[in-house]
Amino acid sequence: MPTRHHRRRFWLVGLVALSLGGSLAVSQLASPASAATLTTAWHNGAFDLNIGGVVSRSDVVLGEPNTAAAQSLQLGNGSLGVAAWAANGFTAQLNRSDTMPNRLSPGQVNIPGLSTMTAASDFSGHLDVFRGALDESGGGMTMQAWVPSGKDELIIEVTGANPNTQQSATLNLWSGRSPSATSSGAYGALAQTWVDNVTNGPSGKTFGAMATITAGARNVSASVVNSTQVKVAFTPNSDGSYRIVVAAPTWTGGNAISTAQTLVGSDTDTATATLTAAQALAWHTYWAGSGLVEMSSSDGSAQYMENLRTLYLYDEAASMKAGGYPGSQAGIADMFNYDQDHVDWYPAGYWLWNLRAEIAANLSSGNYALNVPIFDMYLNDLPAIESWTTAQMSGKPGACVPETMRFNGNGFSGGNNTQNASCATASSPAWNALDITSGPELAMWIWQQYEDTGSISFLQKYYPILKQTVTFLLAWQTKGSDGYLHAVANAHETQWAVQDPTTDLVADQALFPAVVSAATLLNTDSSLVAQLKTAETEIGPYARTDESTKQQLLNPQPTSPTTTASVDAKGTDVIADSYQPTAKLENGENIGLEPVWPWGVVGDNSVVGGDNLTALEDRTYQYRPNQNGNDWNFDAVDAARLDNASQVQADLTAGVEKLQTHINGLANLTTGTNWNDPYLEQSATVATALDEALATDYDGTLRFAPAWPSGWDGSGTVAIQGNSKVDVQVEGGILATAAIQAGSTTTMTVRNPWPGKQAEVVNGSTGAVILAATTASTFKVPVTAGSSYLVEQPSSPTTSMTYAQVTGSQASTYKTLGGKVQIGLP
């Protein structure tokens, strides 16, 4: 790519404890005292990271059986998800994202004969995330369970059973379900279809859920037990082994038995080694393309956060697959539901706010394909969204993307609830009736993924979303006598129908130039480009309020940059939610920090016309009204963007200790309420915060470890814009390795990791000097696709350090954080 736009994102895995400066100032890396005291994984022109060794550190270990459903462990391939626990031997719930509109489960599997294993005194279990399998043993028996990458099946392989004792396994549904229960030979099936036609805005499509069960063993026979249960009975093989195969493909009707027989094929008797080798290869390939982080600290907190980040990457791959609906719809880990058909919130709807951390973490880890199901759903629904907008938003053109959008593109929320629709003036005031910035945020994420990948074909495909969302944003706002664009809208869900909410202003600031760049790259929409360039000059300043009460409007309209700068200069103001700071607060969002993240228009060095916006946002963070709130709170991410290293660690620790209630790394939404479902959004936010603290380039300048906690070490590899990679290590507060593996030819801007001291850039293979030693605060680095580069201090060259591979050992026990929460069971 010939140019680098202002919204860029680097992946960087691997930093180790950085000694950071003041909590609200640019972080300072320590200078190497001696190359002999540091190690580097840079060796022979490459970064040496043992992928399996690092990933396996984050396995989930069971020292006792996980008999409660809420202790379930997760398996999946992106289209079929499983929650497995040790009730009555072995129980597993099957989940899919395409059983709309209520996300009904295909069923639960139970194998009572495995009680011999789970009740044994020597029981142990292990979720092997490197190969996507659950291993258990005890009482002379073993079990492996996995969901193959290429088939929507759950396979359970058992050894050590009594070869002379008949065994059974059942497939079950429950009250309220009305499947067709059938059996034929070795197969039993439960299948049900329905039409989505009973709520407001139905799709009219036929959906369904189907599961079949069979066994690889002797004397296999299936039968119908009752209207919601089928059973397969069998005798184990002569060596005591047997295999249960449960198929649960997408279903809209047909012959369940024959469909399953075709899908399963020879999987009941194919050699175990053949099946497990294919499973391992699929997961190893995924991990090889993911940005990994290895972390450590004396108190174990770094290892715990690493575990959550790795588990997020595992969970997301097990939940998302192109061609299907997104696996998570409201921050919930829907694909790992263990509570029959119960789903928190509105199962047919998607909340973009609750997907933002997933999208961000997928970008910063380089797993771009995991965002495709999200982007595709909105793109496919775009015509329906435009029709909804015209009908519900005063006839305005373009697309007002509903914050709570039904999967087929309308803003109805909660079945027949017409009083809480999104992007619907008739519902205002309400939670998302005038929340008009979900579309611009979606467009911003698409633009960011384009910049990370450099794929013009990707941008071409999703450009209609950018165009239609900005078209609506422009149409909704009116230019006032003060020369600024104005609108009444929601400050997301926090304030309803208020004047010029901060969310609108920041959406303008981020989206207008992004669409200009996108349209220019695609050589299209010249008139829209001209309109947006004019509109960029008509964006007003954020509302300011006092830091203590947050009730005063300190820059009443009509206002100006001069007025707001004079208010900021007093050092006691913060960014308000809107120009009506006294309006009722309906939710616990920190709207004043939206310019920091995710929009990235205010960063750690933002001074405009002498007005220090970074200092303003530092105060906004310090005096934020909601601290360590719900599982989706972005406190740690905001702290990372503001180079506030100590708060990154404090915020992550506080949030995880408060809400990470499931032993598989998943969370509760909040405290004080009985939320049945496990939530994925907290681990996604942990992953995002860690990546932002490790490296970020949201404004076009690459920063190494801008907010890395001083007591944490870490190493790894991250992909960056243009299909490049960054390899970084920090040890004891010292940046040891900072390598760039260029995937495109461009010029990068890099912030000097050692302010005021010399830094140079050399070719990573030959050692040739690319950029001579400089003390400049930032410097330009010309990079060529296929070449590597080392950013280093001349006094401590990377290649003079002792070589040591980045690796790790497979987890052998459960982990705990502060004695308050845990991953695994003791």
PDB file of all heavy atoms in Angstrom, residues 528-554:
ATOM      1  N   LEU A 528     -20.369  12.654  -3.192  1.00  0.00           N
ATOM      2  CA  LEU A 528     -20.429  12.344  -1.767  1.00  0.00           C
ATOM      3  C   LEU A 528     -19.128  12.750  -1.089  1.00  0.00           C
ATOM      4  O   LEU A 528     -19.137  13.299   0.024  1.00  0.00           O
ATOM      5  CB  LEU A 528     -20.699  10.851  -1.555  1.00  0.00           C
ATOM      6  CG  LEU A 528     -20.709  10.364  -0.107  1.00  0.00           C
ATOM      7  CD1 LEU A 528     -21.811  11.051   0.691  1.00  0.00           C
ATOM      8  CD2 LEU A 528     -20.888   8.839  -0.056  1.00  0.00           C
ATOM      9  N   VAL A 529     -18.017  12.498  -1.751  1.00  0.00           N
ATOM     10  CA  VAL A 529     -16.715  12.889  -1.206  1.00  0.00           C
ATOM     11  C   VAL A 529     -16.666  14.394  -0.975  1.00  0.00           C
ATOM     12  O   VAL A 529     -16.230  14.868   0.088  1.00  0.00           O
ATOM     13  CB  VAL A 529     -15.578  12.438  -2.146  1.00  0.00           C
ATOM     14  CG1 VAL A 529     -14.259  13.105  -1.757  1.00  0.00           C
ATOM     15  CG2 VAL A 529     -15.433  10.924  -2.117  1.00  0.00           C
ATOM     16  N   ALA A 530     -17.134  15.149  -1.934  1.00  0.00           N
ATOM     17  CA  ALA A 530     -17.127  16.604  -1.794  1.00  0.00           C
ATOM     18  C   ALA A 530     -18.021  17.039  -0.637  1.00  0.00           C
ATOM     19  O   ALA A 530     -17.661  17.941   0.142  1.00  0.00           O
ATOM     20  CB  ALA A 530     -17.589  17.250  -3.097  1.00  0.00           C
ATOM     21  N   GLN A 531     -19.177  16.421  -0.516  1.00  0.00           N
ATOM     22  CA  GLN A 531     -20.094  16.754   0.569  1.00  0.00           C
ATOM     23  C   GLN A 531     -19.458  16.447   1.930  1.00  0.00           C
ATOM     24  O   GLN A 531     -19.576  17.233   2.875  1.00  0.00           O
ATOM     25  CB  GLN A 531     -21.389  15.963   0.399  1.00  0.00           C
ATOM     26  CG  GLN A 531     -22.486  16.330   1.400  1.00  0.00           C
ATOM     27  CD  GLN A 531     -23.748  15.508   1.201  1.00  0.00           C
ATOM     28  OE1 GLN A 531     -23.804  14.605   0.359  1.00  0.00           O
ATOM     29  NE2 GLN A 531     -24.775  15.805   1.977  1.00  0.00           N
ATOM     30  N   LEU A 532     -18.764  15.319   2.019  1.00  0.00           N
ATOM     31  CA  LEU A 532     -18.148  14.922   3.284  1.00  0.00           C
ATOM     32  C   LEU A 532     -16.975  15.825   3.639  1.00  0.00           C
ATOM     33  O   LEU A 532     -16.762  16.132   4.829  1.00  0.00           O
ATOM     34  CB  LEU A 532     -17.685  13.464   3.213  1.00  0.00           C
ATOM     35  CG  LEU A 532     -18.806  12.424   3.198  1.00  0.00           C
ATOM     36  CD1 LEU A 532     -18.253  11.039   2.892  1.00  0.00           C
ATOM     37  CD2 LEU A 532     -19.543  12.416   4.539  1.00  0.00           C
ATOM     38  N   LYS A 533     -16.218  16.255   2.650  1.00  0.00           N
ATOM     39  CA  LYS A 533     -15.096  17.156   2.941  1.00  0.00           C
ATOM     40  C   LYS A 533     -15.607  18.471   3.523  1.00  0.00           C
ATOM     41  O   LYS A 533     -14.991  19.042   4.433  1.00  0.00           O
ATOM     42  CB  LYS A 533     -14.269  17.391   1.679  1.00  0.00           C
ATOM     43  CG  LYS A 533     -13.414  16.194   1.281  1.00  0.00           C
ATOM     44  CD  LYS A 533     -12.580  16.488   0.040  1.00  0.00           C
ATOM     45  CE  LYS A 533     -11.654  15.324  -0.295  1.00  0.00           C
ATOM     46  NZ  LYS A 533     -10.833  15.580  -1.494  1.00  0.00           N
ATOM     47  N   THR A 534     -16.730  18.937   3.008  1.00  0.00           N
ATOM     48  CA  THR A 534     -17.333  20.147   3.581  1.00  0.00           C
ATOM     49  C   THR A 534     -17.851  19.868   4.988  1.00  0.00           C
ATOM     50  O   THR A 534     -17.637  20.657   5.916  1.00  0.00           O
ATOM     51  CB  THR A 534     -18.489  20.631   2.691  1.00  0.00           C
ATOM     52  OG1 THR A 534     -17.981  20.966   1.391  1.00  0.00           O
ATOM     53  CG2 THR A 534     -19.167  21.846   3.298  1.00  0.00           C
ATOM     54  N   ALA A 535     -18.502  18.720   5.151  1.00  0.00           N
ATOM     55  CA  ALA A 535     -19.078  18.374   6.452  1.00  0.00           C
ATOM     56  C   ALA A 535     -17.999  18.224   7.524  1.00  0.00           C
ATOM     57  O   ALA A 535     -18.262  18.488   8.705  1.00  0.00           O
ATOM     58  CB  ALA A 535     -19.889  17.098   6.340  1.00  0.00           C
ATOM     59  N   GLU A 536     -16.808  17.811   7.134  1.00  0.00           N
ATOM     60  CA  GLU A 536     -15.720  17.669   8.107  1.00  0.00           C
ATOM     61  C   GLU A 536     -15.409  18.995   8.799  1.00  0.00           C
ATOM     62  O   GLU A 536     -14.964  19.014   9.945  1.00  0.00           O
ATOM     63  CB  GLU A 536     -14.460  17.135   7.432  1.00  0.00           C
ATOM     64  CG  GLU A 536     -14.496  15.650   7.120  1.00  0.00           C
ATOM     65  CD  GLU A 536     -13.156  15.154   6.596  1.00  0.00           C
ATOM     66  OE1 GLU A 536     -12.175  15.165   7.364  1.00  0.00           O
ATOM     67  OE2 GLU A 536     -13.080  14.756   5.408  1.00  0.00           O
ATOM     68  N   THR A 537     -15.650  20.093   8.100  1.00  0.00           N
ATOM     69  CA  THR A 537     -15.370  21.417   8.677  1.00  0.00           C
ATOM     70  C   THR A 537     -16.538  21.927   9.517  1.00  0.00           C
ATOM     71  O   THR A 537     -16.432  23.009  10.112  1.00  0.00           O
ATOM     72  CB  THR A 537     -15.075  22.431   7.561  1.00  0.00           C
ATOM     73  OG1 THR A 537     -16.270  22.668   6.794  1.00  0.00           O
ATOM     74  CG2 THR A 537     -13.984  21.922   6.627  1.00  0.00           C
ATOM     75  N   GLU A 538     -17.619  21.151   9.569  1.00  0.00           N
ATOM     76  CA  GLU A 538     -18.831  21.604  10.260  1.00  0.00           C
ATOM     77  C   GLU A 538     -19.144  20.775  11.514  1.00  0.00           C
ATOM     78  O   GLU A 538     -20.255  20.822  12.033  1.00  0.00           O
ATOM     79  CB  GLU A 538     -20.015  21.529   9.291  1.00  0.00           C
ATOM     80  CG  GLU A 538     -19.829  22.420   8.066  1.00  0.00           C
ATOM     81  CD  GLU A 538     -20.847  22.174   6.969  1.00  0.00           C
ATOM     82  OE1 GLU A 538     -21.536  21.114   7.015  1.00  0.00           O
ATOM     83  OE2 GLU A 538     -20.965  23.005   6.056  1.00  0.00           O
ATOM     84  N   ILE A 539     -18.167  20.030  11.986  1.00  0.00           N
ATOM     85  CA  ILE A 539     -18.359  19.207  13.182  1.00  0.00           C
ATOM     86  C   ILE A 539     -18.053  20.047  14.413  1.00  0.00           C
ATOM     87  O   ILE A 539     -16.961  20.589  14.559  1.00  0.00           O
ATOM     88  CB  ILE A 539     -17.453  17.968  13.157  1.00  0.00           C
ATOM     89  CG1 ILE A 539     -17.690  17.153  11.874  1.00  0.00           C
ATOM     90  CG2 ILE A 539     -17.705  17.098  14.399  1.00  0.00           C
ATOM     91  CD1 ILE A 539     -16.681  16.045  11.657  1.00  0.00           C
ATOM     92  N   GLY A 540     -18.998  20.154  15.304  1.00  0.00           N
ATOM     93  CA  GLY A 540     -18.825  20.978  16.490  1.00  0.00           C
ATOM     94  C   GLY A 540     -17.997  20.295  17.564  1.00  0.00           C
ATOM     95  O   GLY A 540     -17.736  19.085  17.510  1.00  0.00           O
ATOM     96  N   PRO A 541     -17.587  21.048  18.576  1.00  0.00           N
ATOM     97  CA  PRO A 541     -16.814  20.484  19.694  1.00  0.00           C
ATOM     98  C   PRO A 541     -17.705  19.665  20.620  1.00  0.00           C
ATOM     99  O   PRO A 541     -18.929  19.849  20.663  1.00  0.00           O
ATOM    100  CB  PRO A 541     -16.266  21.722  20.403  1.00  0.00           C
ATOM    101  CG  PRO A 541     -17.252  22.797  20.088  1.00  0.00           C
ATOM    102  CD  PRO A 541     -17.766  22.503  18.708  1.00  0.00           C
ATOM    103  N   TYR A 542     -17.076  18.763  21.366  1.00  0.00           N
ATOM    104  CA  TYR A 542     -17.819  17.992  22.357  1.00  0.00           C
ATOM    105  C   TYR A 542     -18.319  18.917  23.465  1.00  0.00           C
ATOM    106  O   TYR A 542     -17.663  19.906  23.816  1.00  0.00           O
ATOM    107  CB  TYR A 542     -16.940  16.931  23.007  1.00  0.00           C
ATOM    108  CG  TYR A 542     -16.174  16.052  22.065  1.00  0.00           C
ATOM    109  CD1 TYR A 542     -14.795  15.903  22.199  1.00  0.00           C
ATOM    110  CD2 TYR A 542     -16.821  15.346  21.055  1.00  0.00           C
ATOM    111  CE1 TYR A 542     -14.087  15.091  21.346  1.00  0.00           C
ATOM    112  CE2 TYR A 542     -16.111  14.529  20.193  1.00  0.00           C
ATOM    113  CZ  TYR A 542     -14.734  14.406  20.343  1.00  0.00           C
ATOM    114  OH  TYR A 542     -14.022  13.606  19.498  1.00  0.00           O
ATOM    115  N   ALA A 543     -19.445  18.558  24.053  1.00  0.00           N
ATOM    116  CA  ALA A 543     -19.923  19.281  25.231  1.00  0.00           C
ATOM    117  C   ALA A 543     -18.978  19.029  26.397  1.00  0.00           C
ATOM    118  O   ALA A 543     -18.457  17.928  26.567  1.00  0.00           O
ATOM    119  CB  ALA A 543     -21.336  18.826  25.588  1.00  0.00           C
ATOM    120  N   ARG A 544     -18.750  20.073  27.216  1.00  0.00           N
ATOM    121  CA  ARG A 544     -17.933  19.955  28.422  1.00  0.00           C
ATOM    122  C   ARG A 544     -18.819  20.119  29.650  1.00  0.00           C
ATOM    123  O   ARG A 544     -19.755  20.922  29.664  1.00  0.00           O
ATOM    124  CB  ARG A 544     -16.854  21.032  28.461  1.00  0.00           C
ATOM    125  CG  ARG A 544     -15.510  20.628  27.871  1.00  0.00           C
ATOM    126  CD  ARG A 544     -15.528  20.346  26.404  1.00  0.00           C
ATOM    127  NE  ARG A 544     -14.155  20.410  25.856  1.00  0.00           N
ATOM    128  CZ  ARG A 544     -13.865  20.235  24.587  1.00  0.00           C
ATOM    129  NH1 ARG A 544     -14.832  19.984  23.713  1.00  0.00           N
ATOM    130  NH2 ARG A 544     -12.598  20.310  24.180  1.00  0.00           N
ATOM    131  N   THR A 545     -18.486  19.344  30.673  1.00  0.00           N
ATOM    132  CA  THR A 545     -19.175  19.466  31.948  1.00  0.00           C
ATOM    133  C   THR A 545     -18.141  19.424  33.066  1.00  0.00           C
ATOM    134  O   THR A 545     -16.962  19.129  32.819  1.00  0.00           O
ATOM    135  CB  THR A 545     -20.225  18.342  32.123  1.00  0.00           C
ATOM    136  OG1 THR A 545     -21.010  18.601  33.287  1.00  0.00           O
ATOM    137  CG2 THR A 545     -19.561  16.984  32.259  1.00  0.00           C
ATOM    138  N   ASP A 546     -18.581  19.720  34.280  1.00  0.00           N
ATOM    139  CA  ASP A 546     -17.632  19.752  35.393  1.00  0.00           C
ATOM    140  C   ASP A 546     -17.319  18.341  35.863  1.00  0.00           C
ATOM    141  O   ASP A 546     -18.164  17.455  35.831  1.00  0.00           O
ATOM    142  CB  ASP A 546     -18.192  20.581  36.549  1.00  0.00           C
ATOM    143  CG  ASP A 546     -19.475  19.998  37.119  1.00  0.00           C
ATOM    144  OD1 ASP A 546     -20.479  19.925  36.372  1.00  0.00           O
ATOM    145  OD2 ASP A 546     -19.465  19.598  38.295  1.00  0.00           O
ATOM    146  N   GLU A 547     -16.089  18.129  36.311  1.00  0.00           N
ATOM    147  CA  GLU A 547     -15.639  16.800  36.692  1.00  0.00           C
ATOM    148  C   GLU A 547     -16.308  16.280  37.963  1.00  0.00           C
ATOM    149  O   GLU A 547     -16.388  15.068  38.170  1.00  0.00           O
ATOM    150  CB  GLU A 547     -14.117  16.798  36.886  1.00  0.00           C
ATOM    151  CG  GLU A 547     -13.636  17.675  38.022  1.00  0.00           C
ATOM    152  CD  GLU A 547     -12.124  17.810  38.077  1.00  0.00           C
ATOM    153  OE1 GLU A 547     -11.477  17.532  37.035  1.00  0.00           O
ATOM    154  OE2 GLU A 547     -11.586  18.186  39.131  1.00  0.00           O
ATOM    155  N   SER A 548     -16.796  17.163  38.803  1.00  0.00           N
ATOM    156  CA  SER A 548     -17.330  16.726  40.091  1.00  0.00           C
ATOM    157  C   SER A 548     -18.788  16.327  40.018  1.00  0.00           C
ATOM    158  O   SER A 548     -19.156  15.195  40.372  1.00  0.00           O
ATOM    159  CB  SER A 548     -17.132  17.814  41.144  1.00  0.00           C
ATOM    160  OG  SER A 548     -17.731  19.032  40.728  1.00  0.00           O
ATOM    161  N   THR A 549     -19.669  17.220  39.550  1.00  0.00           N
ATOM    162  CA  THR A 549     -21.103  16.905  39.528  1.00  0.00           C
ATOM    163  C   THR A 549     -21.584  16.393  38.186  1.00  0.00           C
ATOM    164  O   THR A 549     -22.606  15.720  38.106  1.00  0.00           O
ATOM    165  CB  THR A 549     -21.935  18.134  39.894  1.00  0.00           C
ATOM    166  OG1 THR A 549     -21.901  19.077  38.802  1.00  0.00           O
ATOM    167  CG2 THR A 549     -21.427  18.794  41.165  1.00  0.00           C
ATOM    168  N   LYS A 550     -20.882  16.771  37.124  1.00  0.00           N
ATOM    169  CA  LYS A 550     -21.268  16.407  35.758  1.00  0.00           C
ATOM    170  C   LYS A 550     -22.677  16.887  35.421  1.00  0.00           C
ATOM    171  O   LYS A 550     -23.389  16.268  34.632  1.00  0.00           O
ATOM    172  CB  LYS A 550     -21.126  14.893  35.537  1.00  0.00           C
ATOM    173  CG  LYS A 550     -19.704  14.386  35.781  1.00  0.00           C
ATOM    174  CD  LYS A 550     -19.596  12.886  35.639  1.00  0.00           C
ATOM    175  CE  LYS A 550     -18.187  12.433  35.959  1.00  0.00           C
ATOM    176  NZ  LYS A 550     -17.796  12.698  37.365  1.00  0.00           N
ATOM    177  N   GLN A 551     -23.064  18.013  36.007  1.00  0.00           N
ATOM    178  CA  GLN A 551     -24.388  18.576  35.791  1.00  0.00           C
ATOM    179  C   GLN A 551     -24.330  19.913  35.062  1.00  0.00           C
ATOM    180  O   GLN A 551     -25.347  20.374  34.546  1.00  0.00           O
ATOM    181  CB  GLN A 551     -25.101  18.782  37.136  1.00  0.00           C
ATOM    182  CG  GLN A 551     -25.418  17.487  37.877  1.00  0.00           C
ATOM    183  CD  GLN A 551     -26.473  16.669  37.151  1.00  0.00           C
ATOM    184  OE1 GLN A 551     -27.622  17.089  36.992  1.00  0.00           O
ATOM    185  NE2 GLN A 551     -26.071  15.488  36.694  1.00  0.00           N
ATOM    186  N   GLN A 552     -23.166  20.539  35.015  1.00  0.00           N
ATOM    187  CA  GLN A 552     -23.045  21.855  34.403  1.00  0.00           C
ATOM    188  C   GLN A 552     -22.633  21.734  32.936  1.00  0.00           C
ATOM    189  O   GLN A 552     -21.774  20.923  32.597  1.00  0.00           O
ATOM    190  CB  GLN A 552     -21.994  22.689  35.141  1.00  0.00           C
ATOM    191  CG  GLN A 552     -22.237  22.867  36.627  1.00  0.00           C
ATOM    192  CD  GLN A 552     -21.102  23.609  37.295  1.00  0.00           C
ATOM    193  OE1 GLN A 552     -20.683  24.668  36.807  1.00  0.00           O
ATOM    194  NE2 GLN A 552     -20.590  23.059  38.386  1.00  0.00           N
ATOM    195  N   LEU A 553     -23.214  22.561  32.092  1.00  0.00           N
ATOM    196  CA  LEU A 553     -22.765  22.678  30.709  1.00  0.00           C
ATOM    197  C   LEU A 553     -21.823  23.866  30.642  1.00  0.00           C
ATOM    198  O   LEU A 553     -22.246  25.022  30.794  1.00  0.00           O
ATOM    199  CB  LEU A 553     -23.947  22.868  29.754  1.00  0.00           C
ATOM    200  CG  LEU A 553     -23.573  23.013  28.276  1.00  0.00           C
ATOM    201  CD1 LEU A 553     -22.835  21.775  27.768  1.00  0.00           C
ATOM    202  CD2 LEU A 553     -24.828  23.276  27.436  1.00  0.00           C
ATOM    203  N   LEU A 554     -20.541  23.600  30.426  1.00  0.00           N
ATOM    204  CA  LEU A 554     -19.525  24.644  30.517  1.00  0.00           C
ATOM    205  C   LEU A 554     -19.272  25.361  29.203  1.00  0.00           C
ATOM    206  O   LEU A 554     -18.637  26.416  29.195  1.00  0.00           O
ATOM    207  CB  LEU A 554     -18.215  24.040  31.043  1.00  0.00           C
ATOM    208  CG  LEU A 554     -18.314  23.365  32.428  1.00  0.00           C
ATOM    209  CD1 LEU A 554     -16.961  22.793  32.825  1.00  0.00           C
ATOM    210  CD2 LEU A 554     -18.822  24.355  33.471  1.00  0.00           C
TER     211      LEU A 554
END
